[in-house]
Amino acid sequence: MNRSARAFWLRSPGLGEIRDVTLEGPAEGEVLVRSLYSGVSRGTETLVFRGGVPASQHSAMRAPFQEGDFPGPVKYGYLNVGVVEEGPDALVGRTVFCLYPHQSRYVVPVSAVTVLPDSVPAERAVLAGTVETAVNALWDAAPLVGDRIAVVGGGMVGCSVAALLARFPGVRLQLVDADPARAKTAEALGIGFAPPEDALGDCDLVVHASATEQGLARSLELLRAEGTVLELSWYGDRRVALPLGEAFHSRRLTVRSSQVGTVSPARRSSRSYADRLALALDLLADPALDALVTGDSAFEELPEVMPRLASGEIPALCHRVRYAGPEDTA
């Protein structure tokens, strides 16, 4: 039996539209999921919306269930929470997370969905993919008890990293951002805040997530000798100048990349992608993380909302998308 659905597509850079979709299945080993919420990760998704994915990264940047190709037409996204309507008896009626684009219903293999813990509400679970990125980053960074740490860049990824670092005992932690409004987010997460010019130096570790040249340069300045900057920013097709002269070599500083596309080498032999996502969902039991969801809108409004997110008119961290009830999506 065929089923109808609606999906958000980027028709061309800067121009989105909602398309009707006809679904088949589910077949054996698959589930049909009705979306409750999806999330717009403002950094990556608005870069995609603007057409800023460089040609060399078209393959690496593909989302798990992406359709089409960059720069468009393309169906892109990876933060979806829904209810299983059809599939194995053990899953029907369960609320699940899936790395799926913005679509009202979809069919995926059973292995692609993860059941939410009872302690995590569906509204918060849209953060799972970003918290998973933070988990991988901290596996890469390997912070120690008592470290002096700054997170430069108070966007969705930076705040997720800071929220997890706040649980480490004895750390001196600051969220650093040029936007004074991020102080309120830092307060909700229980961590200190500073503008770049007032940030505390002598850091063992700086996690950089501002996606700006100035933020990366400031991150290097905040390090102690032999300290490390963990670079989480995605610059797309922009070139970034880095001050590798001055005291960079004499202080033996390190800049290290981290990316969620592969499990950190520190855990690759003992953790799978599924393990990493399950851990992220468990960590979302903390209601303080609700501070990372800074706005929401209806699915039907996405063609008008995405340009406003991309331009910064809507200054979101995670923007949550609401879907209609089952009586409206049949």
Side-chain angles (χ1 to χ4, degrees):
M1 183 174 70
N2 292 335
R3 297 153 181 85
S4 62
R6 306 189 78 201
F8 176 75
W9 279 73
L10 175 63
R11 186 164 72 185
S12 61
L15 182 61
E17 63 183 6
I18 292 178
R19 299 182 180 182
D20 292 328
V21 179
T22 299
L23 305 176
E24 296 182 1
E28 185 176 355
E30 294 182 328
V31 289
L32 171 67
V33 179
R34 173 175 55 85
S35 295
L36 297 173
Y37 303 98
S38 59
V40 179
S41 177
R42 185 168 177 266
T44 302
E45 286 198 59
T46 59
L47 186 146
V48 169
F49 187 78
R50 293 192 299 266
V53 179
S56 64
Q57 296 300 302
H58 282 189
S59 177
M61 280 290 293
R62 287 192 69 86
F65 294 100
Q66 175 180 323
E67 294 182 37
D69 297 298
F70 304 118
V74 62
K75 184 176 76 175
Y76 191 84
Y78 48 83
L79 302 172
N80 188 288
V81 177
V83 174
V84 176
E85 290 192 321
E86 298 181 41
D89 291 343
L91 288 175
V92 172
R94 302 298 298 275
T95 306
V96 296
F97 177 84
C98 185
L99 296 167
Y100 204 87
H102 308 284
Q103 185 165 311
S104 61
R105 275 193 174 96
Y106 54 91
V107 175
V108 292
V110 168
S111 60
V113 300
T114 302
V115 176
L116 268 58
D118 292 339
S119 58
V120 179
E123 296 92 331
R124 190 185 306 148
V126 293
L127 297 168
T130 308
V131 174
E132 183 183 10
T133 299
V135 167
N136 207 59
L138 295 184
W139 283 348
D140 281 335
L144 299 176
V145 172
D147 272 358
R148 297 180 291 272
I149 304 172
V151 177
V152 176
M156 191 174 171
V157 171
C159 285
S160 296
V161 170
L164 299 190
L165 281 169
R167 307 178 184 206
F168 279 68
V171 300
R172 188 197 76 188
L173 176 63
Q174 277 191 321
L175 180 67
V176 180
D177 199 283
D179 182 359
R182 291 289 181 258
K184 184 176 179 180
T185 306
E187 181 181 5
L189 296 174
I191 57 181
F193 174 83
E197 63 273 16
D198 295 334
L200 297 173
D202 200 29
C203 292
D204 303 287
L205 169 68
V206 177
V207 178
H208 180 240
S210 81
T212 67
E213 186 174 297
Q214 298 89 340
L216 182 53
R218 183 59 175 145
S219 296
L220 287 171
E221 293 172 351
L222 294 177
L223 290 176
R224 63 164 173 79
E226 301 185 351
T228 296
V229 169
L230 188 77
E231 176 60 277
L232 290 181
S233 299
W234 169 241
Y235 298 94
D237 56 3
R238 289 181 292 138
R239 291 183 176 271
V240 176
L242 187 62
L244 299 183
E246 302 176 356
F248 179 80
H249 290 284
S250 63
R251 298 179 67 220
R252 301 179 63 86
L253 303 181
T254 297
V255 178
R256 182 181 180 188
S257 66
S258 179
Q259 208 273 341
V260 72
T262 57
V263 175
S264 168
R267 292 293 180 271
R268 196 172 297 161
S269 64
S270 60
R271 302 291 193 280
S272 66
Y273 288 100
D275 292 331
R276 189 178 66 184
L277 179 56
L279 173 58
L281 283 167
D282 285 340
L283 292 169
L284 279 166
D286 184 355
L289 290 166
D290 286 332
L292 304 188
V293 179
T294 52
D296 64 8
S297 59
F299 168 70
E300 292 77 11
E301 297 172 330
L302 265 180
E304 292 75 40
V305 167
M306 282 296 292
R308 298 173 63 200
L309 288 169
S311 69
E313 180 184 345
I314 300 177
L317 293 176
C318 177
H319 187 85
R320 186 168 54 211
V321 178
R322 305 183 311 272
Y323 291 78
E327 67 281 358
D328 299 319
T329 59

